[in-house]
Amino acid sequence: MTLRIENPHTADSISANPSTEITRRTYLARSSLLGSAALASAWSLADTQSAAVHAAQDQRLKIGLIGCGARGSGAAAQALATGNDVQLWAMADAFPDQLENSLKALSRGRAGDSKLEPGEGFGSKIDVPPERRYVGLDAYRKLIDSDVDVVILTGPPAFRPAQFEYAIQAGKHVFMEKPVATTPAGVRQVLDIAKLAKDKNLKVGVGLQRHHQESYNEAIHRIHTGEIGRITAMRCFWNGSAPAKTPRPKQNMTELEFQVRNWYFFDWLSGDHICEQHIHNLDICNWAMNAHPIAAEGMGGRQVRTGKEYGNIFDHHAVIYTYANGTKLHSYCRQIPGCKNFVGETIEGSRGRATLGTVRCSLIALDDAGTESPIWESGGKNREKPLSPYQVEWNVMVDAILNDRTHNEAENGALSTMTAVLGRLATYTGQEVSWDEAIASPETTEVDPLNWDAPPPIHPLADGSYPIAKPGRT
């Protein structure tokens, strides 16, 4: 049977933005501050004190932030915390209040993981006068066309493929949050632009920060070197309560503005929480397998979070992924208060088991009788707390830019995004969906609207609710 993957909603096409080729700036700036010597050793960072780097040590990388929510503000703070080589130069957001709130938080040094002393702030590292504060749906173009070196993309994921393409075409380095798209068409676009970024020698970071967490790197290395044997099965979870975001009421807004304000709760904007959040766990399992799945089947729905204010996303998904060698991954994500919470991954091997999480990772061996014995465990009372992986990913990226090291995480980000999209297609349709038929789907809901009067891909029903995927019918 051939399954046609269709958009369950009515969509109007909106013209995409044009791209303008701009020659990439060349940097000769002094090396980034990478924190402790232990961190540099852990990440095998070579000496950065080259003569060329010293030649222009008065320059700074100019950072442009597109998408000034909590994650964007945190990413900007982590960029600024890499050392004296960066400066927040421009900001852009669809909404002026969001931009101003972000700028205030950053100026106080209270965004993301940064907890500077009151009044300390980032000083001259923030230089965003009114003329470099861009607002509106086309604000990202104005920022990218300005004199910035690095662009942070942390707005709604549906806009990410178009913004990523515009930035790479303009010759900018890019850090973008996950997921990098919300549809297969968007994933294909990101994969194509990732190749262009490599050709242009542009650096690309993606916010799958577990790849920069010491405990995960050690655990995955041990799995890859066979310490638990051949992987036989995997389980991953992001079972939590309510999402961090709260729906905003529909007051004096066009329909598009209302949906963008509440982007998390609309599948065309966020990809549903299996993409926006659970992608972290799926990414780890792909990393352990050194592969992506070839098929998925599952179930999901809206059992508790049913109000019209919650858009059209599900509140739970359960997916069984199949990899090319037959290995199964059982994947669960849930956002229902009052239930048991758990976030992490379990990798079963022919000779042991790995239990992974952001707090602690461990490996155990299993003998023929099933007796367990410890192999390795991260953390410990006497160990120094490692630097936040959110900070490490920025240290690594800034170092790659300043010292021209290879750094392109876009392909991995796209494949992990597609893994999550594949799971959503399976839960929305109630069918088994193959990777090949899914990624080839021409259907898309990712748009690049020009104004707030533009029609969104989905429209409210007569009662104010939104069309919701119905397994077996969608």
Side-chain angles (χ1 to χ4, degrees):
M1 180 187 74
T2 299
L3 175 67
R4 184 183 179 197
I5 309 300
E6 293 187 339
N7 172 17
H9 317 300
T10 301
D12 297 295
S13 63
I14 299 176
S15 61
N17 62 284
S19 295
T20 304
E21 181 71 25
I22 301 176
T23 304
R24 183 174 70 92
R25 291 190 53 171
T26 325
Y27 308 116
L28 288 176
R30 63 189 175 84
S31 63
S32 62
L33 176 63
L34 293 177
S36 66
L39 175 66
S41 174
W43 292 98
S44 302
L45 296 177
D47 181 20
T48 62
Q49 305 301 314
S50 68
V53 167
H54 277 296
Q57 54 184 315
D58 58 332
Q59 295 186 17
R60 285 180 173 179
L61 289 176
K62 296 176 181 176
I63 305 290
L65 171 60
I66 300 173
C68 301
R71 181 75 280 269
S73 301
Q78 284 131 17
L80 295 175
T82 59
N84 294 322
D85 298 304
V86 297
Q87 184 175 46
L88 184 60
W89 184 254
M91 299 174 72
D93 198 276
F95 306 108
D97 57 314
Q98 191 124 297
L99 190 155
E100 293 302 325
N101 289 337
S102 173
L103 183 56
K104 289 177 183 176
L106 287 164
S107 297
R108 294 194 302 266
R110 307 297 292 178
D113 291 335
S114 64
K115 295 292 183 289
L116 304 181
E117 293 299 321
E120 182 180 355
F122 286 108
S124 64
K125 292 183 184 179
I126 297 179
D127 183 15
V128 190
E131 62 269 21
R132 292 201 293 272
R133 302 173 198 172
Y134 306 104
V135 175
L137 289 169
D138 63 346
Y140 78 91
R141 299 178 194 170
K142 296 174 182 176
L143 182 144
I144 292 170
D145 290 339
S146 72
D147 191 27
V148 296
D149 304 316
V150 186
V151 175
I152 300 174
L153 301 179
T154 46
F159 303 138
R160 204 150 291 148
Q163 293 176 356
F164 180 47
E165 179 171 3
Y166 198 89
I168 295 302
Q169 291 283 7
K172 312 296 182 178
H173 303 289
V174 172
F175 174 87
M176 56 183 170
E177 261 303 331
K178 52 68 203 164
V180 299
T182 61
T183 69
V187 170
R188 294 196 306 269
Q189 183 178 2
V190 170
L191 286 170
D192 287 343
I193 301 305
K195 296 175 184 176
L196 179 62
K198 288 182 180 180
D199 292 342
K200 286 173 167 270
N201 194 28
L202 296 172
K203 318 307 177 186
V204 182
V206 175
L208 293 166
Q209 75 283 346
R210 285 166 173 79
H211 286 268
H212 298 281
Q213 183 166 332
E214 183 180 348
S215 58
Y216 267 100
N217 273 273
E218 178 70 16
I220 296 296
H221 172 72
R222 289 173 176 272
I223 292 170
H224 286 169
T225 55
E227 292 194 16
I228 62 171
R230 176 180 56 86
I231 295 176
T232 58
M234 298 185 291
R235 300 182 297 279
C236 68
F237 307 84
W238 197 307
N239 289 341
S241 54
K245 298 186 180 299
T246 302
R248 301 181 66 158
K250 193 173 186 178
Q251 296 176 345
N252 302 318
M253 301 180 191
T254 67
E255 182 60 36
L256 179 62
E257 181 179 354
F258 170 73
Q259 292 186 26
V260 174
R261 282 277 191 186
N262 292 281
W263 63 267
Y264 192 94
F265 302 104
F266 290 92
D267 62 357
W268 75 273
L269 282 161
S270 69
D272 208 318
H273 65 97
I274 190 174
C275 293
E276 205 284 329
Q277 187 178 64
H278 192 41
I279 183 177
H280 284 295
N281 312 106
L282 299 172
D283 173 65
I284 293 302
C285 293
N286 282 355
W287 189 9
M289 288 293 293
N290 272 327
H292 62 71
I294 61 170
E297 58 182 303
M299 63 181 71
R302 288 164 66 102
Q303 185 169 357
V304 173
R305 194 168 58 208
T306 58
K308 64 184 70 174
E309 69 272 22
Y310 294 110
N312 71 335
I313 66 171
F314 283 5
D315 58 18
H316 65 282
H317 300 260
V319 182
I320 301 174
Y321 291 96
T322 302
Y323 289 80
N325 66 356
T327 300
K328 302 290 186 179
L329 162 62
H330 293 251
S331 152
Y332 306 91
C333 58
R334 181 187 64 217
Q335 293 182 338
I336 299 178
C339 300
K340 179 183 177 180
N341 296 341
F342 180 70
V343 178
E345 306 84 29
T346 300
I347 315 293
E348 301 284 356
S350 57
R351 299 197 308 272
R353 177 187 307 119
T355 303
L356 312 178
T358 56
V359 176
R360 180 162 294 149
C361 296
S362 65
L363 275 69
I364 62 168
L366 294 171
D367 62 20
D368 293 340
T371 302
E372 299 182 357
S373 57
I375 298 175
W376 166 83
E377 183 175 290
S378 67
K381 293 182 178 180
N382 298 323
R383 292 195 61 184
E384 182 179 350
K385 184 178 179 180
L387 196 63
S388 163
Y390 291 96
Q391 186 59 58
V392 176
E393 68 182 350
W394 268 103
N395 291 350
V396 171
M397 180 160 175
V398 170
D399 173 74
I401 295 170
L402 294 175
N403 298 287
D404 197 21
R405 306 187 197 283
T406 301
H407 188 71
N408 192 320
E409 299 176 334
E411 181 178 355
N412 178 72
L415 295 177
S416 292
T417 295
M418 188 62 216
T419 302
V421 170
L422 178 67
R424 187 191 73 225
L425 294 175
T427 62
Y428 277 14
T429 63
Q431 305 290 334
E432 183 179 64
V433 184
S434 78
W435 178 282
D436 288 344
E437 63 185 337
I439 199 168
S441 170
E443 303 291 338
T444 183
T445 55
E446 286 151 326
V447 297
D448 188 15
L450 302 178
N451 58 70
W452 289 118
D453 292 322
I458 67 170
H459 305 279
L461 303 174
D463 64 354
S465 64
Y466 293 88
I468 298 166
K470 292 180 171 54
R473 292 172 55 187
T474 297

